[in-house]
Amino acid sequence: MRLSCSDIGFGDWCLESNIIMVNVLKGVLVECDPAMKQFLLYLDETTALGKKFIIQDLDDTHVFILAEVVHILQERVGELMDQNSFPITQK
Amino acid sequence: MKLRVQLQCKNLHEYLKELSPEILDRLYNHPATCLAVYRELPPLAKNYVMRMLFLDQPLPQAAVALWVKKDSEKDHDQCVSVLSGLRLWHSQQLQGGLQGNILNPVFKDNLRIALLGGGKSWADQGDSLGPDRHARDVESLDKYALERWEVVLHFMVGCPSAAVSQDLSQLLIQAGLMRTEAGDAPCITSAGFQFLLLDTASQLWYFTLQYLNTAQTRGMDLVEILSFLFQLSFSTLGRDYSVEGMSESLLTFLQHLREFGLVFQRKRKSRRYYPTRLAITLSAGVSANSSSTAMGATPGTGDSGFIVVETNYRLYAYTNSELQIALVALFSECLYRFPNVVVAQVTRESVQQAIANGITAQQYIGVLVLLYMAELFGEILHFLRTRAHPVMLKQNPVLPPTITDQIRLWELERDRLQFSEGVLYNQFLSQADFEVLRDRAQGLGCLVWQNVAHRVIVVSPQGHGEVKRFWKRQKSHT
C-alpha cells in the first residue's frame, strides 16, 4: 500500500495519543528526472522487481524506496537504456 | 563527492609544505634544493627573496609592504603566505618593537652559495674516471628513458611481456594505482586508469611523490633522496657523473631510478651514471598544461600527437607503440590494425565498458552510493585532446563537438538515478514541529531533502540517532 501525504489528513492525528507524533521510515532517497520517475512508478505498479518497492512518492523528481532493491533497479534501468540505444554505424 | 581516489598531482611547493619543519630545514642545507625551490616561486616572491638575500638583519614588515603599489595588495599577501608556508622567512622582533621579517638563515646561506658558487661541489663529474669507453649520446639516452618508462606503463596495462621488479610492483600497489587479490597478479584500479591517461611529466611527478612518501618506510632518508633528486635536475644532459661518495641508501635509490628510466647506468656496478631528460624535467614539476617539452607529449612517437577523431566516431591512431594501442583499446573497439595505423571505433559499449572496469576495481563503501565516473570521461577527452594529431589541432575546437557531447551523454546515462540512504520523517502534527526538527537536522548537517509544503524531511542515517534523541527530549519537555 503506497502512502502519500495527501491521503491522510493531519487533523486525524491531533487527538490521538501523544506517542505517535512523527512517522519515521528507513529507506533510500532516489533523485532522478521526471521521465525516469515514471519508469520507476511503472516498475512498481507491475511489481516487475518481485515486490512493491516504493515506500513514498515524494515529488516530481524524488521517490523513497526500499534499500534492498537498489542493485536490481540499476540493472533494470541499464536494460531500458540498452533497449533504447542503437549501434551508430556498421563496422 | 568522489569516493574514488582523485589523482592529485601536487606541485613541488604543496609537497614541501607538507613536510615537517625539521625536515625542511635539513633540506635547505643543500644549495640545489634552495635553487630548485627558488625557481618555482612566483615572480614577486623571487623579487623579495633577492632583496633580502644579502641583509643580515630583519627588515620591518612595514618596509616590505611599501614595496608594492596599493592595488597589488592581494599579490603581496599571497607572496607572504607562500614564503611563510615554505618557511623561507619568519618574523622576528626588531629593536624598536616592530615586527620584522628575516630570511631563514640556512636557506639564505645556501642560496648564496648556489648563486655565487663555492661550497662543496654538488656531484663529482665523471672526469676522475677518465673518458667513458661506452659513452652514450643524448638520443640513445632519450630512447632508453622512454623504453624503461613504457615498460612500467605496459605492466600497469597488463601486457604479459612487461616484467618489473618486485619493488616496483609493490610501489604501484601502495600508490593505489594497482591492487592485488591474494596470490593473483596485480591488476589496475580506476586511479590507475586516470594515471595512464595523463601526460608523461605529470605521471613521473605523481610517481615520484608516491615514492618519496614510502621512502621513510623503506628506511631511506627523505632529505638525502630529495637533495639528490634536485641535484639531478640541475645536471647536464649527456654528461656522466660518478657514484663516488654516495651512501648505501642513495645507491639503492639510484637503482630504482634506473628502473624508471630516470638515469642510465650500464651495469649495476658501474661507477658512472647518466641522467636522462626525464630526470631533468622532473623537478620542473607539474604545471597546468605542460606538454610542450620534447618528452612532454607522448612516448613512442617522434612528434606531438597521433590520434585523429572523426565525427563518425572513428578513431585513427598513427602509432605502432604497443602501449598507445593498449590505451586506445581501453575505451574504443579496435577494428583494423596496419603497420603504422590502428583504426578503432568509439562506441557506447566500449565507453561504458571503460567505466565498468573502473567500477569493479573500486571497493564499494556502503551499498548505496553511486560512483561518479565523470572524471574518467574527462580523462578520455583529455587523453584524446593531448594526443591529437597536428591536422586536428587546426580545427577549433580540437575534438568534434558531436563526439565530446556524445561521450558525456553516455556518461550521464549511468547517473540517471542518484541514491542516498536516508530516514524519512513525515506526518508532523504541526508546522512548528516540522520546522524545529528541520532546523535541528540542518544544524547538524544531516538534512538530505525536505518538502515544506508536505512537511516531509529526509535525514541521513548517521544523523538519525541524534535527531531522534533531540526529538524525544523536545517532546518530554512540552
Side-chain angles (χ1 to χ4, degrees):
Chain A
M1 189 186 74
R2 210 185 328 143
L3 302 176
S4 93
C5 280
S6 51
D7 284 347
I8 302 172
F10 283 99
D12 295 347
W13 293 100
C14 291
L15 300 174
E16 295 295 306
S17 69
N18 287 334
I19 302 172
I20 306 171
M21 317 283 179
V22 165
N23 201 12
V24 176
L25 300 160
K26 290 206 165 99
V28 173
L29 178 72
V30 180
E31 182 176 344
C32 55
D33 49 272
M36 190 49 72
K37 188 192 137 190
Q38 292 306 315
F39 180 63
L40 292 183
L41 292 180
Y42 166 75
L43 286 178
D44 191 58
E45 270 172 41
T46 56
T47 51
L49 299 187
K51 59 182 169 192
K52 300 232 178 249
F53 58 91
I54 293 190
I55 302 175
Q56 182 119 28
D57 178 356
L58 299 173
D59 69 6
D60 274 347
T61 50
H62 292 81
V63 269
F64 204 68
I65 65 172
L66 293 175
E68 59 245 22
V69 300
V70 167
H71 278 304
I72 324 173
L73 197 59
Q74 270 295 84
E75 271 174 37
R76 295 304 289 260
V77 169
E79 278 169 28
L80 175 72
M81 301 309 299
D82 285 339
Q83 281 169 2
N84 286 340
S85 80
F86 302 90
I88 298 164
T89 52
Q90 74 268 44
K91 297 185 184 171
Chain B
M1 194 232 101
K2 312 247 178 321
L3 287 189
R4 209 180 41 175
V5 171
Q6 176 63 355
L7 269 198
Q8 273 166 348
C9 279
K10 298 180 265 208
N11 63 15
L12 181 63
H13 283 181
E14 284 166 30
Y15 175 70
L16 286 178
K17 270 193 226 179
E18 290 180 3
L19 296 176
S20 71
E22 306 82 44
I23 297 193
L24 262 188
D25 282 339
R26 276 174 60 206
L27 258 184
Y28 288 150
N29 246 326
H30 206 281
T33 321
C34 297
L35 196 55
V37 169
Y38 174 76
R39 207 168 50 167
E40 293 291 311
L41 287 174
L44 191 58
K46 281 187 192 162
N47 201 315
Y48 284 9
V49 168
M50 275 294 121
R51 287 189 187 197
M52 298 176 56
L53 190 57
F54 289 98
L55 294 177
D56 281 327
Q57 291 178 332
L59 204 57
Q61 280 180 349
V64 175
L66 276 181
W67 287 344
V68 284
K69 295 205 284 206
K70 275 287 180 293
D71 26 338
S72 313
E73 279 294 323
K74 256 195 352 212
D75 295 325
H76 171 74
D77 291 331
Q78 192 209 15
C79 242
V80 167
S81 68
V82 163
L83 288 174
S84 326
L86 289 171
R87 291 178 52 85
L88 290 182
W89 74 8
H90 45 259
S91 332
Q92 205 174 323
Q93 195 92 8
L94 290 175
Q95 269 171 340
L98 292 172
Q99 282 296 328
N101 284 323
I102 185 167
L103 275 188
N104 184 339
V106 175
F107 177 77
K108 189 167 57 168
D109 291 335
N110 282 292
L111 191 59
R112 279 192 211 171
I113 295 179
L115 292 174
L116 304 174
K120 243 170 30 125
S121 89
W122 294 0
D124 292 326
Q125 313 297 336
D127 308 338
S128 55
L129 299 172
D132 188 4
R133 283 168 304 153
H134 306 277
R136 289 295 187 107
D137 60 345
V138 176
E139 265 172 42
S140 66
L141 279 181
D142 280 348
K143 212 161 64 86
Y144 171 78
L146 282 176
E147 244 174 60
R148 294 300 320 163
W149 187 243
E150 281 206 7
V151 167
V152 176
L153 295 182
H154 265 125
F155 176 69
M156 284 181 72
V157 172
C159 290
S161 57
V164 297
S165 71
Q166 194 62 11
D167 264 350
L168 189 50
S169 66
Q170 244 347 80
L171 182 64
L172 284 171
I173 294 175
Q174 272 168 345
L177 297 175
M178 302 188 77
R179 65 186 180 107
T180 165
E181 312 282 282
D184 287 343
C187 65
I188 196 168
T189 62
S190 67
F193 274 138
Q194 291 178 67
F195 179 79
L196 280 178
L197 299 178
L198 288 174
D199 55 291
T200 319
S202 322
Q203 282 173 341
L204 265 177
W205 184 242
Y206 181 79
F207 203 69
T208 317
L209 285 181
Q210 294 300 319
Y211 184 90
L212 291 173
N213 284 339
T214 59
Q216 303 280 26
T217 53
R218 281 167 215 264
M220 297 166 109
D221 185 9
L222 187 61
V223 173
E224 236 184 349
I225 304 184
L226 261 182
S227 325
F228 182 64
L229 213 51
F230 287 128
Q231 220 176 287
L232 263 188
S233 74
F234 286 111
S235 20
T236 338
L237 189 56
R239 196 116 178 245
D240 57 325
Y241 294 86
S242 129
V243 302
E244 295 295 324
M246 286 172 66
S247 70
E248 264 316 302
S249 66
L250 267 189
L251 284 173
T252 327
F253 183 53
L254 195 64
Q255 290 309 318
H256 286 147
L257 287 181
R258 196 172 157 229
E259 194 168 1
F260 307 156
L262 290 174
V263 309
F264 168 74
Q265 214 181 4
R266 202 167 68 83
K267 286 194 286 218
R268 191 176 250 270
K269 295 271 179 19
S270 291
R271 278 172 306 153
R272 61 180 92 225
Y273 64 92
Y274 291 84
T276 63
R277 199 188 296 268
L278 289 182
I280 295 180
T281 54
L282 180 63
S283 85
V286 173
S287 49
N289 290 308
S290 59
S291 56
S292 49
T293 62
M295 286 249 160
T298 51
T301 57
D303 41 32
S304 50
F306 59 94
I307 296 188
V308 178
V309 181
E310 289 185 340
T311 52
N312 58 358
Y313 297 89
R314 285 219 170 187
L315 205 139
Y316 302 89
Y318 288 89
T319 176
N320 48 16
S321 146
E322 284 296 336
L323 177 66
Q324 299 304 318
I325 295 176
L327 287 183
V328 166
L330 277 181
F331 58 87
S332 63
E333 285 175 35
C334 284
L335 297 174
Y336 315 114
R337 187 168 165 187
F338 297 106
N340 65 332
V341 96
V342 170
V343 180
Q345 181 136 20
V346 180
T347 63
R348 179 170 174 269
E349 289 78 25
S350 65
V351 162
Q352 294 196 336
Q353 183 71 25
I355 321 168
N357 285 339
I359 288 180
T360 55
Q362 172 76 24
Q363 309 261 326
Y364 276 103
I365 299 176
V367 174
L368 299 170
V369 193
L370 256 192
L371 297 166
Y372 290 105
M373 303 309 285
E375 297 315 308
L376 189 59
F377 286 90
E379 289 299 323
I380 292 181
L381 292 176
H382 174 76
F383 176 80
L384 288 175
R385 269 188 210 112
T386 50
R387 272 89 164 158
H389 196 276
V391 165
M392 294 213 26
L393 292 175
K394 292 187 200 148
Q395 317 168 8
N396 180 21
V398 175
L399 292 179
T402 35
I403 308 291
T404 47
D405 289 346
Q406 185 61 68
I407 291 186
R408 288 219 189 278
L409 284 174
W410 282 330
E411 153 207 345
L412 290 176
E413 254 183 40
R414 313 280 304 189
D415 287 347
R416 285 196 80 170
L417 292 180
Q418 289 161 20
F419 299 101
S420 24
E421 235 178 26
V423 182
L424 182 79
Y425 289 70
N426 61 0
Q427 296 169 23
F428 284 88
L429 287 182
S430 65
Q431 186 70 12
D433 282 345
F434 168 73
E435 276 172 12
V436 158
L437 203 60
R438 192 241 355 238
D439 294 337
R440 181 77 186 125
Q442 217 159 30
L444 288 172
C446 55
L447 184 68
V448 174
W449 182 80
Q450 59 169 313
N451 184 339
V452 186
H454 289 126
R455 299 188 216 169
V456 178
I457 59 171
V458 177
V459 170
S460 70
Q462 296 88 355
H464 170 60
E466 181 53 44
V467 173
K468 195 163 77 167
R469 276 196 291 278
F470 171 76
W471 183 248
K472 288 207 172 107
R473 276 202 307 272
Q474 277 298 98
K475 284 299 126 185
S476 63
H477 287 327
T478 58

